[in-house]
Amino acid sequence: MTQSLKKPQIVDAKVVAKSRLFTIEQLDLVFSNGAERQYERMKGNNRGAVMVVPVHQGKLLLAQEYAAGTHNYEIGFPKGLIDEGETPEQAANRELQEEIGFGAGKLTLLKELSLVPSYFSSKMQVYIAEDLYESELEGDEPEPIEVVAWELNDWRKLINTPNFTESRSVSALFLAMEYLSHP
Amino acid sequence: MTQSLKKPQIVDAKVVAKSRLFTIEQLDLVFSNGAERQYERMKGNNRGAVMVVPVHQGKLLLAQEYAAGTHNYEIGFPKGLIDEGETPEQAANRELQEEIGFGAGKLTLLKELSLVPSYFSSKMQVYIAEDLYESELEGDEPEPIEVVAWELNDWRKLINTPNFTESRSVSALFLAMEYLSHP
């Protein structure tokens, strides 16, 4: 292990801002070379999250949903937090039924993704869902989610669709296509 | 345009928490079907960001850097915020010189990514950098960044590397490989 890979020491950590959803922590760090820095990061809620790429009858199924950050409707794969007592697979299957009205007979883990590790600790398990069957669960969405069915063969066009931009969905699309072409 | 694509109305917006780096805003929303919800989002700083996939002599060049969110060293592509007065290309070329000690003769935009549009407004331009030349700029990093050179032909192994998990870097890798195989 090289010098630069010795983790900095956290000499102080305190919450500097807090809202209903977010807790921001300030860290006083001393790096192994003596450099001192003050960093901020989001304190995680320790709940994992899942994203699912559903494949059904030669189509990818996506959800079109309002996103407050951009104040726009965005297309992406079904996703959500893992509830207490759920396994990641159970959460994936629940989110599928809530967001697109299908359950999955087969879920395969593609990769664990992180989200800006400089600021967040949260991880997200990405699955591909196959052997789908119709099954609906009531979610807490304020309005019905629009399901977008996209031809698998046209997946490269999805990459260039203006409201398909979320990095986790883009990663999930490529991971799923890798899986499908090298199963 | 369907009913569900009529954007909700923001009837109130106020800052509920603020730190040096982050500002959290609470929105009172009324959806087109009458449903009312309170959402939180991060107020952006309106500075864009860039990520760059540098390709040099058959290798991908990555940066290994401390990430406070996970308190770990993570591998990813050079990235950073766009400074005032800079174009995205200038920012990309500056970050390359600061983080891996190369400038780029050729920068090609691959895609604009977003980061959890439910919570953030920020966008990131992803470039591939070719025709690299040695050139170093001093950054504000607390310790030297470890440069990791990765054989292009082994790019699939990178996907399975445990500390290569950031969704933006994973997306950038796939976008670059698409570009290189279908130029």
Side-chain angles (χ1 to χ4, degrees):
Chain A
M1 189 181 273
T2 58
Q3 173 75 358
S4 71
L5 287 181
K6 231 176 99 188
K7 285 186 196 183
Q9 210 192 330
I10 300 174
V11 293
D12 194 28
K14 60 169 178 258
V15 171
V16 289
K18 193 168 165 38
S19 70
R20 187 168 54 90
L21 295 185
F22 301 103
T23 301
I24 296 159
E25 192 179 38
Q26 181 184 283
L27 302 181
D28 289 335
L29 296 169
V30 180
F31 285 78
S32 61
N33 60 3
E36 297 180 12
R37 288 289 192 284
Q38 212 164 55
Y39 280 25
E40 287 187 1
R41 69 177 179 186
M42 293 283 170
K43 269 189 88 136
N45 52 15
N46 294 319
R47 284 169 69 188
V50 293
M51 177 170 274
V52 193
V53 181
V55 180
H56 188 54
Q57 299 178 340
K59 291 192 173 72
L60 296 160
L61 302 180
L62 298 115
Q64 181 154 265
E65 209 177 349
Y66 172 71
T70 52
H71 190 52
N72 210 351
Y73 282 86
E74 307 279 349
I75 298 175
F77 293 109
K79 63 178 188 299
L81 293 175
I82 300 170
D83 283 341
E84 205 174 318
E86 273 184 336
T87 65
E89 285 79 9
Q90 288 167 338
N93 210 19
R94 176 180 50 73
E95 289 291 345
L96 274 184
Q97 292 171 76
E98 288 177 4
E99 297 198 6
I100 63 161
F102 283 95
K106 186 182 171 196
L107 282 165
T108 308
L109 181 65
L110 299 174
K111 185 171 171 66
E112 185 178 75
L113 293 177
S114 65
L115 184 74
V116 203
S118 312
Y119 297 127
F120 302 96
S121 60
S122 60
K123 297 285 169 80
M124 175 176 256
Q125 320 284 332
V126 181
Y127 291 91
I128 185 166
E130 297 169 288
D131 303 345
L132 300 193
Y133 52 88
E134 283 186 38
S135 171
E136 222 167 302
L137 283 175
E138 187 78 20
D140 56 355
E141 282 73 21
E143 60 185 6
I145 292 176
E146 194 100 352
V147 177
V148 177
W150 197 279
E151 288 290 343
L152 260 180
N153 291 335
D154 282 344
W155 69 276
R156 283 195 171 83
K157 285 191 195 153
L158 186 53
I159 301 169
N160 299 314
T161 300
N163 59 344
F164 180 80
T165 61
E166 187 183 359
S167 62
R168 296 179 300 180
S169 283
V170 172
S171 295
L173 172 64
F174 279 116
L175 290 166
M177 297 315 297
E178 276 290 298
Y179 168 85
L180 292 171
S181 56
H182 310 273
Chain B
M1 188 179 275
T2 58
Q3 173 76 357
S4 71
L5 287 181
K6 233 176 99 188
K7 284 186 195 183
Q9 208 191 332
I10 300 174
V11 292
D12 193 29
K14 60 168 178 262
V15 171
V16 289
K18 193 170 166 40
S19 69
R20 185 168 54 92
L21 295 185
F22 300 103
T23 301
I24 297 160
E25 192 179 38
Q26 181 183 284
L27 301 181
D28 290 335
L29 295 169
V30 179
F31 286 78
S32 60
N33 61 3
E36 296 181 11
R37 288 286 191 286
Q38 212 164 52
Y39 279 23
E40 288 186 1
R41 69 178 180 187
M42 293 283 169
K43 271 191 85 139
N45 52 15
N46 294 319
R47 283 170 68 188
V50 293
M51 177 171 274
V52 193
V53 181
V55 181
H56 188 55
Q57 298 177 340
K59 291 191 173 71
L60 296 160
L61 301 180
L62 297 114
Q64 182 154 265
E65 208 177 350
Y66 172 72
T70 52
H71 190 52
N72 211 352
Y73 282 85
E74 309 277 351
I75 299 175
F77 292 109
K79 61 178 189 303
L81 293 174
I82 300 170
D83 283 341
E84 204 174 318
E86 272 185 336
T87 65
E89 285 78 11
Q90 286 167 339
N93 210 19
R94 177 180 49 73
E95 290 290 345
L96 273 185
Q97 292 169 78
E98 289 177 3
E99 297 199 5
I100 62 161
F102 283 96
K106 185 181 171 196
L107 282 164
T108 309
L109 181 64
L110 299 175
K111 183 170 173 65
E112 184 178 74
L113 293 177
S114 65
L115 185 73
V116 203
S118 312
Y119 297 126
F120 302 95
S121 61
S122 60
K123 298 283 170 81
M124 175 177 256
Q125 321 283 333
V126 180
Y127 291 91
I128 186 167
E130 297 168 288
D131 304 344
L132 301 193
Y133 52 90
E134 282 185 39
S135 172
E136 223 167 303
L137 282 176
E138 187 78 23
D140 56 356
E141 282 73 21
E143 60 186 5
I145 292 176
E146 193 102 351
V147 178
V148 177
W150 197 279
E151 288 290 342
L152 258 180
N153 290 336
D154 282 344
W155 70 276
R156 283 195 171 85
K157 286 191 194 152
L158 187 52
I159 300 169
N160 297 314
T161 299
N163 59 343
F164 180 78
T165 62
E166 187 183 357
S167 61
R168 297 179 299 182
S169 283
V170 173
S171 295
L173 171 64
F174 279 117
L175 291 166
M177 296 316 298
E178 276 290 299
Y179 168 85
L180 292 172
S181 56
H182 310 273

